Amino acid sequence: MNTAIGRNIVLVGFMGTGKSSVGRRIASQLGLRFVDTDRLVVEKTGISIDEIFRHHGEERFREEEADALDSLDAIDAHVMATGGGIVTRASNVERLRSLGFVVCLTASEEVILERVSRNDRRPLLKEANPRETIRALLAARAPLYASAAHFTVDTTIRSHDEVASVIIAESRRFFQ
Ligand code: S3P
């Protein structure tokens, strides 16, 4: 086992790839605690992510997100879901990798669009052409997710349970 890193499972990936749902399943199956950086930001600021973007702008959200990650410095035995843009700061990526096994969830552009259209919670996609935004953000972020992750799972045609099983099996290899 790599002793330089913690024994946490960290999920990164684009909006709509299932990080929170899959993360909760992994945590419950392995008896680990679950933490979600988006939720930490909302708890700390007392307002929704949408409101942070609207009233204070994306940069303020990125500050809050980085602070939330910093606050988790000493955690162990957790499953962590992160916001889709957390990898846009190199310092966040370094921190995520020091926390444990970093897994990137991916999905096709089509499936992402279909999943994120089920609700209007994502401020970055509240605009005339969300498909174009998804395409542009995916292109810009793909190398960042790839460099952050120890392992990648495509969720396009897998259920949350299937994705969780793949990650649990791979995490056993990683931590052995
Ligand atoms: C964002 C993804 C969101 C949330 C915020 C910004 C992004 O999280 O952090 O709306 O930049 O991709 P999810 O990936 O959980 O939707």
Side-chain angles (χ1 to χ4, degrees):
M1 153 179 178
N2 187 342
T3 49
I5 59 179
R7 290 184 66 87
N8 303 289
I9 298 174
V10 177
L11 304 182
V12 299
F14 204 76
M15 296 173 263
T17 53
K19 293 161 291 186
S20 300
S21 307
V22 168
R24 276 199 198 87
R25 277 173 173 74
I26 297 172
S28 98
Q29 286 181 40
L30 295 182
L32 304 175
R33 298 189 65 181
F34 176 73
V35 63
D36 184 326
T37 57
D38 279 349
R39 207 164 71 197
L40 291 176
V41 169
V42 170
E43 280 167 10
K44 184 183 157 218
T45 59
I47 55 175
S48 69
I49 289 173
D50 193 37
E51 284 169 315
I52 301 174
F53 271 76
R54 241 176 324 126
H55 300 307
H56 307 285
E58 178 171 355
E59 197 42 38
R60 168 70 187 279
F61 172 75
R62 298 295 167 207
E63 289 296 325
E64 295 290 350
E65 185 175 51
D67 285 354
L69 188 54
D70 286 349
S71 75
L72 297 172
D73 206 19
I75 61 165
D76 197 39
H78 278 64
V79 179
M80 183 194 300
T82 58
I86 204 159
V87 294
T88 55
R89 284 195 178 189
S91 52
N92 289 346
V93 171
E94 209 177 304
R95 192 167 282 277
L96 291 170
R97 285 179 68 91
S98 75
L99 286 172
F101 182 43
V102 182
V103 179
C104 177
L105 305 191
T106 61
S108 70
E109 187 185 301
E110 205 56 42
V111 163
I112 287 173
L113 181 64
E114 195 266 316
R115 291 181 189 160
V116 299
S117 304
R118 291 179 198 154
N119 64 60
D120 64 352
R121 284 197 307 262
R122 268 96 172 190
L124 289 175
L125 303 178
K126 281 189 181 177
E127 45 142 292
N129 197 339
R131 181 188 292 272
E132 271 313 308
T133 307
I134 290 170
R135 186 170 296 156
L137 285 175
L138 274 174
R141 291 178 181 176
L144 305 177
Y145 293 131
S147 71
H150 296 108
F151 180 68
T152 297
V153 192
D154 187 57
T155 70
T156 306
I157 57 161
R158 287 186 168 106
S159 68
H160 291 328
D161 282 330
E162 286 169 338
V163 176
S165 297
V166 171
I167 294 172
I168 288 171
E170 203 59 37
S171 72
R172 293 205 165 106
R173 267 190 281 280
F174 184 82
F175 288 118
Q176 77 190 357

